[in-house]
Amino acid sequence: MEQANVVIIGGGVVGCAIARALSSRWSDVFVLEAMPKIGMAASSRNSGVIHSGLYYQPGSLKARLCVRGNELTYEFCEAHGVPYRRTGKLVVATSPAESQELVALMKNGEANGVEGMRIVDRAAIRAREPHVNGFEAIEVPSTGIVGSEELTKAYARIAKDRGANIVTNAKVERLEHTRDGIRVLSAVGEIETRCLVNSAGLFADEIAAMLGSPLAANKIYPVRGEYCELVRSKQHLICGPVYPLPHPEGVSLGVHFTKTVWGNVLLGPTALYLDDKNNYERDRQSVEQFARGAKLLLPEIESSDLIPAYSGIRAKLTPPPKHGEKRVADFIIQRDPEFSQVVQLIGIESPGLTSAPAIAEHVSGLVAEILA
């Protein structure tokens, strides 16, 4: 049976970033990805935003790793030719009643170490985004956009260049604890590893349960986010990322506009709790519903200006909120309390794309404890 120092379950952006980090220190690093290609799930089905760290609870892993990941992502993209733009963004209050929420949100970002933010008035909003309706906005200069698929592939390419093995169509079917590590049985065969990293995204809770870990009690709730795209003749209506205030119940950052690195403009994502982790397309929201919601920020938009785009599914750790109740959860990134050779990553949703290189740093330290 093949022996490995590290097996990473999951070839999304976080798994590939971890492989890149670990392969610089250890040989025999394997990534097992269930899909035919890396990064086919949430890693490529998102807004492609490099987040600043504005929204997250001060002191949380999400806050710390997003702020650090923001810096590292820009450095990596510049060094390795990954398409990106440091665009900044606006978080818009559409009425005076929302202004106090803007102030509180900016204070939260400052507590997290987000630099250079300021609150701007309607005239400054119009100077930056001539078609956007807003009373005031937070201008966040450290936000940007990136080609998320290209970013994932770049992490994977460097990992492979350093000797890591990335295996696709390798769905994990069974895990067994052994005297010397963990035996992993997948669709492509068996491998025994001294250290296992569970970075399985939507299915991380199921991988934890496969091992019998107490962390499997952290159930993942799939939440679908759908996107529409502005038709080519209306792409000029948006210049950069424009966000509303975040969802009051903590489900999402709100349906926002993003101009991608390719120049097309996305509107989304929505947030719908699902019973099926693979339901990307059934019962999609209509373009009319998208247009109605978008008019608050972009009054001149019509349903005829939109065409359906892709959808993605978030790995949330919070159940559907009761009316008015805010529910938020932090990333779970830790050594397993029962299986000391295992590092568990559960509930890695947004800002996972931005945080990926910082998560990889963090995981590298935990793996070093195991392989010491």
Side-chain angles (χ1 to χ4, degrees), residues 34-344:
M35 303 286 277
K37 296 179 182 177
I38 59 168
M40 288 184 71
S43 299
S44 57
R45 292 171 169 266
N46 57 67
S47 302
V49 171
I50 302 174
H51 284 291
S52 63
L54 176 65
Y55 302 97
Y56 316 107
Q57 181 72 29
S60 66
L61 280 175
K62 281 184 176 178
R64 287 173 17 228
L65 296 174
C66 183
V67 172
R68 172 68 174 151
N70 175 282
E71 175 189 349
L72 292 176
T73 300
Y74 283 125
E75 288 176 4
F76 181 85
C77 291
E78 186 64 30
H80 298 284
V82 176
Y84 80 97
R85 290 209 316 276
R86 192 187 290 263
T87 57
K89 82 169 176 183
L90 294 178
V91 182
V92 178
T94 55
S95 68
E98 292 183 332
S99 289
Q100 284 305 109
E101 291 181 60
L102 274 190
V103 172
L105 185 59
M106 191 166 93
K107 285 181 178 174
N108 192 82
E110 288 170 343
N112 289 340
V114 181
E115 297 178 346
M117 294 180 295
R118 62 183 186 132
I119 290 181
V120 299
D121 62 12
R122 187 185 299 273
I125 293 170
R126 285 284 179 168
R128 182 180 174 129
E129 292 284 352
H131 302 275
V132 168
N133 172 54
F135 175 74
E136 285 184 332
I138 307 173
E139 192 176 71
V140 190
S142 57
T143 298
I145 52 171
V146 65
S148 52
E149 190 174 343
E150 290 74 16
L151 181 63
T152 304
K153 287 177 178 176
Y155 288 139
R157 183 179 68 248
I158 293 166
K160 286 192 281 189
D161 288 347
R162 292 172 174 172
N165 302 277
I166 297 179
V167 187
T168 54
N169 292 305
K171 183 178 180 180
V172 172
E173 296 163 347
R174 200 159 81 246
L175 298 172
E176 296 174 359
H177 184 249
T178 68
R179 188 168 60 98
D180 300 317
I182 305 292
R183 182 176 295 124
V184 184
L185 296 92
S186 76
V188 294
E190 295 184 20
I191 188 168
E192 189 163 308
T193 183
R194 294 172 61 205
C195 173
L196 181 73
V197 177
N198 173 13
S199 182
L202 273 174
F203 302 94
D205 57 341
E206 297 175 33
I207 294 296
M210 207 178 279
L211 192 61
S213 167
L215 291 178
N218 295 285
K219 174 180 167 60
I220 287 174
Y221 297 87
V223 175
R224 186 172 70 199
E226 302 170 26
Y227 290 87
C228 275
E229 186 176 335
L230 266 64
V231 295
R232 187 174 295 275
S233 62
K234 295 299 175 80
Q235 289 174 358
H236 68 281
L237 295 178
I238 291 290
C239 303
V242 178
Y243 281 63
L245 283 160
H247 194 283
E249 294 173 343
V251 178
S252 77
L253 301 183
V255 173
H256 53 266
F257 290 96
T258 309
K259 182 162 261 183
T260 73
V261 289
W262 317 118
N264 55 318
V265 177
L266 296 173
L267 171 62
T270 55
L272 176 70
Y273 277 83
L274 303 171
D275 295 323
D276 179 359
K277 291 179 179 178
N278 296 298
N279 175 9
Y280 288 93
E281 295 300 331
R282 287 198 306 278
D283 303 316
R284 290 279 305 258
Q285 199 166 291
S286 68
V287 291
E288 289 77 16
Q289 288 171 296
F290 268 94
R292 279 198 298 273
K295 274 183 175 293
L296 202 58
L297 285 175
L298 196 66
E300 62 196 271
I301 199 168
E302 302 294 341
S303 56
S304 57
D305 300 330
L306 296 170
I307 52 175
Y310 54 83
S311 64
I313 301 178
R314 307 171 182 87
K316 292 202 79 69
L317 285 173
T318 51
K322 296 172 184 174
H323 183 66
E325 176 188 29
K326 187 169 184 177
R327 290 182 173 176
V328 294
D330 201 6
F331 293 153
I332 295 172
I333 305 173
Q334 65 178 83
R335 288 180 67 180
D336 193 280
E338 194 162 314
F339 302 96
S340 61
Q341 307 99 322
V342 178
V343 179
Q344 301 278 13

